[in-house]
Amino acid sequence: MQLLSLTLKGFRGIRDGLGLETLTLDFEALCDGAQLVAITGANGRGKSTVLDNMHPFMTMPSRVATAGAGGFSYYDHVYLPESEKDLTWALEGRCYRTQVVIRLNGRRRTEAYLSALADDGVWRPVVLDDGTVSDGKVETYTRCVEHLCGSADTFFTSVFGAQGKRQLSDYRNGEIKTLLADLLAQDQIRELGAKASQTAKLLKAGLVGIRQELSVIVEDEEEAACGLAKAIEAPTRAQQAQLEATKAAERREELSQSCARLMAQRDQSRETDARRSQLQEERSAAQAADLAAVRDLGERERLDRQRLERLDQRCAQRAEQTRRRRERAQAAQAQCIALLSRAPLVERAVKRLPLAERVLSMRADHVHQAREAVTEWESARSAMRLGEQRVEAIEREAGQAALRAQSLSRRFALTREVPCSGLALQGECQLLADAREAKALIPSAEGVLQRLAEERAQAQAEVQAARGRVEAMSSAEAQLQRKGNRLERSRARSSRFALLAGKAEEMADTRLRLAEANEELKGTAEVGGDPEPARQEQEERETILASLRRIEAQRRTQSEQLQKSLARIDSLLQALPMPFDGRALRAAEADRDRAAAQCEALQAAHLEAVRQSQALVELRRAQQQLGQRRVSVQQRAKRVEDAVANWTLLARCMSNDGLIALAIDDAGPALSGLANELLMACYGARFTVSIVTQAETAKGELREGFDIVVYDAESGESKSVRMMSGGERVWINECLVRAVALYLSQTSERRYATLFSDEADGALDPARKRMFGAMKREVLRIGGYTREFFISQTPELAGMADVVIDLEKHVREAALCR
């Protein structure tokens, strides 16, 4: 893959870093003939945004939140209603163009087009061999790109080193096997394994149906066996049921005759029952007449007692009213006496109120003056704090200016150290140009330092003046507090006097109410002096009591008459013969009905036994047929189970733990050899890498795994790369990643002519960073790569590049050209 040009429109990283809506980079013009191309610029200038879009895949690898689908969205990184990525690139001698349009206006939508440059110079959509056309849909675009460039995971693991990318040592066993399978072009084996696994799943689904059919047959056999167990004794049960039905019919006949005899006795006793009913009716009538008379007497007694209760209530109410009037008068008298006890205080408050109000007004004026003094003191404090903050800001700015002056002096000093000084190449030397530019800026930096010193002296003088005013008025708050307390005491005293003075009229009203209460008490004492009840109440009470005595006498007479009538009727009832007992007849009829029901049940049991005897032959024939079906279904299930086992074994053999694992084992020494070759060429013979694809368990058995073991020649120890320091892990991981890229370039049909890396040297020391740059050239030489684009904040590593693309400088030059 060779990059030709890139245009980004509406990306947030470009806007925030360079202040541009659109950025265009012509790589053919910028990188002509260069192998190592460094992309530089200050932090936050959009370098990673540019590098993340220098490939045709639909992602920005350093911005991926989670692995898998849905881990990245362009909508979070663009801001225009219609943003665009336009990338022109070449692969295997053919030119392609990627156009991604991200729309935010209204409904979110992304369109992706992949075009190829035809022989007539016209861009036409890419068409795959299976008929897939790049029609603007993201799905078809992704299929076309993966057909041309391979898997995105393989590309971003081996060729493209994004910022914050996971190291190979952090990959899980399944992930590294999938990655290495892609590198080894084991897709066909994986597809065969997937097909075998799908076939096994389909066979398992069919096996479930066969087993369900077998379970139904077994249930039918069990049901048939139960039916046979029940029907095997059906002839014997039929004979026994016939005998029991005959006996039940005979008993039913005997019970019917007994019921007929009891019914004849019931008919003979009906005349006696009529006379008995007549006497019982007379007895009930006498009791009803007595009950009516008693009820009438009770109603008369209730009315008289109600009259007596009302009379008592009237007497009690009259006494209660007199008592309440006396209590109200006594309460009013006590209340008035209590209020009049405060009359001297009220008279004193009326006299002192004018003086208290004058004192309150004077102290309010004093508080107002103290509050103005506090306001002036706070203003002085604010001015002092602002002055101190200004001094601190000037000192920070002076420190930054001093650092800048030192930096300019250091850059100017490089003019004596640059090796190309005085040679023909000095016009093209970037370091010499920076040193001369620093010489021109040194006077302005020294002028800034002098100006900041003068401003600092002036600000400190202002702070001292403000501090003097603050110290002079330091007691303003305490004076405000004392005067405020005096004002509150004066306000409380004035309020208390005003409250008491307002009760002067209330005292006059209280004296009038006290006179009225005394008159009321005198009147209630005169009314309560007569203890005898009224004459009319006494006469009414005697009349009611006489009526109650007459009612009691009538009740006794009525009770005696009722007892005589009931005694006469009871003697006549005792002279009659005993009544017919209907319970014996009902019991006999119940026994007869039970015998009839039992007879019918036995007859039905006899018929059921006869039917079971007839169905016994059919059950035996059905059981034989079910046995034959069960044997046939079991044979089918056995054949399907054998097929499932075979297809499952085939799927395992074609999986990551089968043939693919063997291929990975074969590729491990080659990858280790390439990594060790890079380590030897760039870092010396200290470290040797080996890839372990099997791990020993606690039982001593081997299982599939993945680990990177590093031998340290200095210590003579071998350990996992996970146990090494951060810087050591960085360069060993980079050697492994580039070894994967080299292996891919040597064994795969696809050849990526360009490599990418984003600030992978951050954890390395200066010496290792120079070795890191040397490794990049070694990788290009061994793998036959054309170019590598890399981002680095290290000036030494950027200086080793053939071409440096400084985004800020590029933007300035483009602006000057326009």
Side-chain angles (χ1 to χ4, degrees):
M1 179 188 300
Q2 182 178 358
L3 301 183
L4 303 179
S5 66
L6 172 64
T7 299
L8 299 177
K9 175 184 177 183
F11 279 76
R12 294 182 184 274
I14 304 301
R15 180 199 63 183
D16 298 341
L18 302 175
L20 297 178
E21 180 179 306
T22 303
L23 175 66
T24 300
L25 296 174
D26 186 353
F27 296 112
E28 284 187 297
L30 293 172
C31 312
D32 186 20
Q35 286 188 322
L36 289 181
V37 180
I39 301 175
T40 63
N43 289 331
R45 288 296 187 264
K47 302 185 298 298
S48 296
T49 300
V50 172
L51 191 69
D52 280 352
N53 286 282
M54 291 169 61
H55 59 83
F57 293 97
M58 291 289 292
T59 184
M60 295 172 63
S62 67
R63 302 295 194 268
V64 176
T66 58
F72 171 77
S73 172
Y74 273 115
Y75 303 117
D76 300 331
H77 303 283
V78 296
Y79 66 93
L80 290 179
E82 183 175 301
S83 303
E84 183 178 356
K85 168 187 173 181
D86 192 335
L87 175 68
T88 306
W89 49 285
L91 182 66
E92 297 179 356
R94 192 169 184 185
C95 190
Y96 297 93
R97 183 179 182 185
T98 292
Q99 290 177 295
V100 180
V101 182
I102 307 105
R103 305 183 193 277
L104 296 178
N105 49 350
R107 181 181 178 184
R108 290 184 172 183
R109 187 177 60 179
T110 301
E111 298 176 3
Y113 302 90
L114 182 62
S115 306
L117 186 62
D119 296 336
D120 56 359
V122 179
W123 292 102
R124 290 189 174 86
V126 171
V127 181
L128 301 183
D129 296 337
D130 60 358
T132 302
V133 181
S134 179
D135 55 359
K137 297 179 181 178
V138 175
E139 293 80 5
T140 56
Y141 173 85
T142 303
R143 289 179 57 188
C144 292
V145 170
E146 291 185 350
H147 176 77
L148 295 174
C149 302
S151 168
D153 292 338
T154 302
F155 179 83
F156 290 115
T157 302
S158 60
V159 177
F160 198 106
Q163 191 177 28
K165 183 182 71 173
R166 291 171 60 192
Q167 298 185 355
L168 288 179
S169 58
D170 296 331
Y171 278 69
R172 293 189 295 271
N173 184 31
E175 294 175 330
I176 197 66
K177 285 187 176 179
T178 301
L179 171 65
L180 294 177
D182 291 337
L183 293 176
L184 298 173
Q186 301 295 320
D187 296 340
Q188 186 177 3
I189 294 178
R190 189 187 292 110
E191 290 176 1
L192 290 175
K195 291 179 181 179
S197 178
Q198 186 65 24
T199 303
K201 289 180 180 179
L202 295 175
L203 288 173
K204 288 179 182 178
L207 183 61
V208 171
I210 295 174
R211 287 174 176 171
Q212 290 178 350
E213 182 181 357
L214 182 61
S215 64
V216 171
I217 293 173
V218 171
E219 290 177 359
D220 292 342
E221 283 186 327
E222 292 177 354
E223 186 178 354
C226 292
L228 284 173
K230 293 179 181 178
I232 195 68
E233 298 178 355
T236 304
R237 287 201 304 273
Q239 295 176 0
Q240 184 67 25
Q242 187 175 8
L243 293 176
E244 291 177 355
T246 302
K247 293 180 180 179
E250 293 176 355
R251 176 164 175 75
R252 180 185 60 184
E253 186 64 26
E254 292 176 358
L255 292 174
S256 298
Q257 293 177 0
S258 176
C259 287
R261 288 194 296 271
L262 289 174
M263 291 174 67
Q265 293 177 4
R266 182 191 62 186
D267 294 339
Q268 292 176 0
S269 64
R270 284 179 178 173
E271 294 180 358
T272 304
D273 292 339
R275 176 58 179 166
R276 184 178 289 104
S277 298
Q278 181 181 2
L279 292 173
Q280 288 176 349
E281 289 176 358
E282 291 180 1
R283 192 175 189 279
S284 298
Q287 289 177 341
D290 179 71
L291 182 61
V294 170
R295 190 182 294 112
D296 182 59
L297 292 173
E299 182 66 20
R300 288 168 55 191
E301 182 181 10
R302 184 182 65 80
L303 294 175
D304 289 340
R305 291 192 181 279
Q306 287 180 354
R307 289 172 58 195
L308 184 60
E309 289 177 0
R310 285 195 295 271
L311 178 61
D312 293 338
Q313 288 177 358
R314 286 198 303 272
C315 294
Q317 287 176 359
R318 186 177 61 186
E320 181 66 20
Q321 289 175 358
T322 302
R323 185 184 62 79
R324 288 178 181 176
R325 285 176 58 194
R326 184 182 298 106
E327 289 179 354
R328 283 196 298 269
Q330 290 175 350
Q333 184 184 39
Q335 184 180 10
C336 292
I337 293 172
L339 289 174
L340 290 174
S341 65
R342 302 186 65 186
L345 295 176
V346 173
E347 294 174 357
R348 181 175 178 274
V350 171
K351 295 178 181 178
R352 297 292 302 276
L353 179 59
L355 177 60
E357 290 178 348
R358 288 195 300 273
V359 173
L360 176 63
S361 176
M362 179 183 64
R363 289 186 174 176
D365 293 339
H366 292 169
V367 169
H368 179 69
Q369 294 173 1
R371 190 173 288 115
E372 290 180 351
V374 170
T375 302
E376 184 178 355
W377 176 70
E378 291 178 349
S379 299
R381 286 183 61 192
S382 299
M384 183 181 69
R385 286 195 295 270
L386 290 175
E388 292 173 349
Q389 293 174 0
R390 183 184 173 193
V391 170
E392 292 175 358
I394 291 173
E395 290 177 349
R396 286 196 299 270
E397 187 176 356
Q400 295 174 358
L403 292 176
R404 178 172 176 80
Q406 293 175 5
S407 176
L408 291 173
S409 300
R410 210 168 32 248
R411 288 168 57 188
F412 177 68
L414 292 176
T415 56
R416 297 185 298 273
E417 300 177 5
V418 174
C420 62
S421 178
L423 301 179
L425 296 176
Q426 66 179 0
E428 298 179 0
C429 180
Q430 184 67 36
L431 293 177
L432 191 57
D434 289 344
R436 290 172 179 172
E437 183 181 359
K439 179 180 180 182
L441 295 176
I442 287 175
S444 63
E446 293 176 351
V448 170
L449 286 174
Q450 184 176 0
R451 177 180 57 82
L452 292 175
E454 294 175 356
E455 291 181 357
R456 179 174 178 274
Q458 182 181 356
Q460 286 179 342
E462 294 176 354
V463 169
Q464 287 298 115
R467 184 176 289 110
R469 293 196 302 272
V470 170
E471 292 175 356
M473 294 184 291
S474 59
S475 61
E477 282 189 335
Q479 291 179 1
L480 177 61
Q481 182 67 27
R482 289 194 300 273
K483 292 178 180 180
N485 293 336
R486 291 176 182 175
L487 177 62
E488 290 300 325
R489 290 195 297 271
S490 298
R491 185 178 288 111
R493 187 184 303 111
S494 177
S495 177
R496 185 171 65 255
F497 286 161
L499 182 63
L500 291 172
K503 295 183 179 181
E505 295 182 358
E506 184 180 357
M507 293 295 137
D509 296 338
T510 302
R511 291 187 182 92
L512 294 176
R513 289 200 305 272
L514 178 61
E516 294 174 356
N518 292 331
E519 291 295 331
E520 184 72 19
L521 284 174
K522 183 178 179 182
T524 53
E526 293 176 355
V527 172
D530 186 8
E532 295 296 332
R535 188 183 299 266
Q536 294 87 356
E537 292 175 354
Q538 183 63 28
E539 293 177 355
E540 184 178 359
R541 184 183 299 277
E542 292 176 356
T543 302
I544 293 171
L545 293 175
S547 176
L548 289 173
R549 287 192 292 272
R550 288 194 299 272
I551 290 170
E552 184 64 26
Q554 290 178 4
R555 183 180 285 113
R556 287 195 297 271
T557 302
Q558 184 68 27
S559 177
E560 292 174 358
Q561 292 177 357
L562 176 62
Q563 294 299 327
K564 292 179 181 179
S565 298
L566 291 178
R568 179 181 61 81
I569 294 172
D570 289 340
S571 62
L572 294 175
L573 286 172
Q574 290 175 0
L576 294 174
M578 294 297 294
F580 177 75
D581 188 3
R583 290 178 296 177
L585 178 60
R586 289 192 294 273
E589 290 177 346
D591 292 339
R592 182 195 62 190
D593 295 339
R594 283 195 294 272
Q598 185 179 9
C599 182
E600 292 177 357
L602 290 172
Q603 291 175 354
H606 175 257
L607 293 176
E608 180 64 23
V610 171
R611 283 195 297 271
Q612 289 180 358
S613 299
Q614 295 174 353
L616 184 60
V617 178
E618 296 294 332
L619 288 172
R620 286 173 178 169
R621 185 168 60 253
Q623 188 180 32
Q624 184 178 4
Q625 293 176 354
L626 289 172
Q628 295 174 354
R629 283 183 59 195
R630 175 173 52 78
V631 172
S632 175
V633 172
Q634 287 175 344
Q635 293 175 352
R636 285 170 53 201
K638 182 65 171 57
R639 289 196 299 272
V640 175
E641 288 173 353
D642 294 340
V644 168
N646 293 333
W647 283 107
T648 302
L649 179 60
L650 179 60
R652 183 171 180 81
C653 292
M654 296 297 177
S655 67
N656 288 341
D657 296 332
L659 294 177
I660 295 176
L662 295 177
I664 294 173
D665 292 342
D666 294 338
L671 290 172
S672 301
L674 291 172
N676 291 327
E677 184 177 353
L678 292 176
L679 286 171
M680 177 63 72
C682 303
Y683 303 118
R686 176 182 176 183
F687 294 110
T688 304
V689 174
S690 62
I691 297 177
V692 179
T693 57
Q694 288 186 333
E696 185 175 355
T697 63
K699 297 181 180 179
E701 301 175 352
L702 293 178
R703 62 176 177 85
E704 293 296 329
F706 181 82
D707 195 9
I708 301 169
V709 179
V710 182
Y711 173 75
D712 189 347
E714 292 184 359
S715 63
E717 296 180 353
S718 296
K719 56 185 175 181
S720 173
V721 72
R722 300 185 183 91
M723 306 301 295
M724 303 184 72
S725 66
E728 293 172 341
R729 289 181 64 183
V730 167
W731 79 66
I732 290 176
N733 180 75
E734 289 302 316
C735 287
L736 285 170
V737 169
R738 291 315 181 201
V740 170
L742 292 174
Y743 185 85
L744 182 65
S745 68
Q746 295 173 3
T747 60
S748 174
E749 296 179 358
R750 295 187 180 90
R751 294 186 61 81
Y752 301 105
T754 307
L755 301 176
F756 307 85
S757 62
D758 187 355
E759 297 191 32
D761 59 325
L764 302 179
D765 56 39
R768 291 290 187 267
K769 289 183 179 182
R770 286 191 293 272
M771 294 179 183
F772 191 69
M775 185 198 70
K776 292 182 179 294
R777 292 195 182 274
E778 187 69 15
V779 171
L780 295 177
R781 184 188 66 79
I782 296 174
Y785 289 100
T786 304
R787 181 174 297 137
E788 177 177 357
F789 291 92
F790 67 94
I791 295 176
S792 177
Q793 296 290 352
T794 305
E796 294 85 351
L797 189 58
M800 297 176 68
D802 300 324
V803 172
V804 176
I805 301 177
D806 188 340
L807 293 183
E808 298 180 61
K809 184 176 179 182
H810 176 76
V811 170
R812 290 195 300 269
E813 292 176 353
L816 291 175
C817 293
R818 288 197 295 269

